[in-house]
Structure formats: C-alpha cells, structure tokens
Amino acid sequence: MYQTYIFDLYGTLIDIQTDEESQQLWENMALYFRYNGMNVSGQALQALTLCHMEQHLEVGRGRCEYPDYVMEDVFADVVRKLKGRANTAWLQETVRWFRILSMRKLMLYEGAIEVLNGLRRQGKKIYLLSNGQKTFIEMELKSLGIDRCFDGIAISSVAGISKPDPLFYAYLCGKYQVNLTAALMIGNDPRTDMEGARRVGIDGCYLRTSASPVHLLETKSKWLIEDGDLRKIPGWR
C-alpha cells in the first residue's frame, strides 16, 4: 500500500517529558552562565532566552509560515546581551545541559524498533520529519539506538522550517529525493503531523498517545489508532 513512511519523533516513536518552565531548571542554567562570568538570575535568564527565541521566530516568519530557530544561536544572543564571551563548543554544551536538566522521561514507545525493522525488511523507505533541535535529536536518537533506522532525517532547526509547513516536506523531498506518491505520515499531533500531511496531499496515520494534545482530540486522517499502538500501523509486516 505504502512505499514511503514518514515518522514524527516525539510522542510518536519517543515517549518524552520535559519541563522547560521549571524554576529550578533556570536557576541551574543561570549558575552555569555565572560559571562563565555572566552574572544573571534564573528568572532573568529565562526572560532573555524567551525574548531571543521569539526574535529568531519573527525573522523566520519572513521566509515561511512556520519557522524554527537554532538554540545555540539563541544562547549566543543571550551571551552577547550579558556582555559575555562563548565559543561554539561552550554553546553546544549549554544546549545539551539545557536539555538534560529539563528532562523528566526519555524512552522508546513499545514496538518502535520492531516496526522500524519490519518496515526495512519489507523494503520500505523510512524517513524522520521532526520538529526540534538538531543537538537534542541526534543525541537522543543515538542514545535510544534508532539513529541508523532511517533513510533520511529532516530536523526543523536545520531547515529553519517546522511542521505543518509544506515547505518542510519540500525540504525533506529535496534533500533525500523522497517520492510522496505512495507515502504515509505517522504522528501523534493533529495540527503538526496530520494537518501537514493533508496540506501536501498524503495519507496520515494518527497515533493518539499520552503525548497527544488533549485540546486537539479530533483529527482528519486516513488511519486512526486510538491506543497509540505502533504495531497497528498499516503495511509494516
């Protein structure tokens, strides 16, 4: 039925919980900045970071409907605002610490590796189309052992575009010569995953998981898996 399978990552293959609003997170991050000579409180650092995130998104809106930013660039702007100095390695480490300190849970959903391996045995093409940061995603794919399960990986922070923007699908297709003629999009979010699939004219398979937005329960998709069981995806065995 389908020759190309495009997966969302978080809430679809990976069960994750983070808390980026935690005051303890920002206090710890502020301490990290102070270790590098920048005197800032947790509250002030949070406000500065959110401000520069929005500035990067605003610039991106001139290029596409749903832009994304690079977290290292955001922190570089924060460092300049605080009159500090930081090299690329420090910025990358800062982003990693931000993710680690905000993490509450990280694990694969049951059946994820089984389904990905099953699709590969069937000769299907498998792609990842994920909103998120390159630094986070590459680290987490590798740590969970699925970094080599895909024929191609498209990350919104690299493209500067996020789902459901059709330009993000165009980026995937252009980078990996993906054929969407017989493609299926699998994801847990009605707005980003299913709406994106609809806008580019491919079928969607909606997995309702614990991470699915509770305020967006209704979705239009070719396939609906109410219990989030990846093994119910069509055509993988």
Side-chain angles (χ1 to χ4, degrees), residues 17-23 25-26 46 50 53 69 71 98-99 101-104 136:
Q17 289 181 6
T18 61
D19 185 359
E20 296 181 0
E21 301 299 320
S22 164
Q23 193 57 47
L25 162 66
W26 290 102
Q46 182 181 19
L50 293 175
M53 283 179 181
Y69 54 82
M71 195 68 188
F98 177 78
R99 184 63 157 185
L101 292 172
S102 69
M103 190 76 67
R104 301 296 177 264
F136 301 167

Side-chain angles (χ1 to χ4, degrees), residues 63-202:
R63 303 188 305 268
C64 62
E65 186 178 0
Y66 293 95
D68 202 0
Y69 54 82
V70 176
M71 195 68 188
E72 284 87 347
D73 293 343
V74 170
F75 279 134
D77 288 346
V78 171
V79 168
R80 282 190 288 270
K81 185 71 173 181
L82 295 173
K83 303 189 185 306
R85 298 179 66 181
N87 58 26
T88 299
W90 187 89
L91 291 168
Q92 290 174 341
E93 190 68 12
T94 302
V95 172
R96 284 191 286 268
W97 274 113
F98 177 78
R99 184 63 157 185
I100 291 167
L101 292 172
S102 69
M103 190 76 67
R104 301 296 177 264
K105 179 171 71 171
L106 180 72
M107 60 188 293
L108 289 174
Y109 279 108
E110 186 177 350
I113 291 180
E114 182 184 356
V115 168
L116 293 172
N117 288 340
L119 287 169
R120 189 165 295 282
R121 285 194 298 271
Q122 293 282 337
K124 311 297 186 180
K125 291 291 187 179
I126 311 168
Y127 299 95
L128 184 69
L129 189 70
S130 179
N131 290 353
Q133 293 294 312
K134 178 177 184 286
T135 302
F136 301 167
I137 290 171
E138 289 183 345
M139 177 176 64
E140 288 154 14
L141 289 176
K142 187 173 183 179
S143 70
L144 293 171
I146 59 170
D147 52 315
R148 297 185 180 181
C149 290
F150 304 97
D151 294 288
I153 295 172
I155 301 172
S156 62
S157 67
V158 177
I161 313 163
S162 62
K163 295 176 291 184
D165 202 314
L167 290 176
F168 195 20
Y169 286 82
Y171 171 86
L172 174 72
C173 293
K175 187 172 183 180
Y176 297 108
Q177 292 75 56
V178 178
N179 183 359
L180 295 182
T181 303
L184 179 68
M185 176 73 209
I186 303 102
N188 76 299
D189 191 305
R191 184 186 67 85
T192 59
D193 300 320
M194 297 303 101
E195 176 62 14
R198 186 194 66 78
R199 291 175 70 170
V200 295
I202 65 175

Side-chain angles (χ1 to χ4, degrees), residues 34-45:
R34 291 199 294 273
Y35 275 14
N36 204 49
M38 289 167 276
N39 189 20
V40 64
S41 68
Q43 186 175 10
L45 179 60

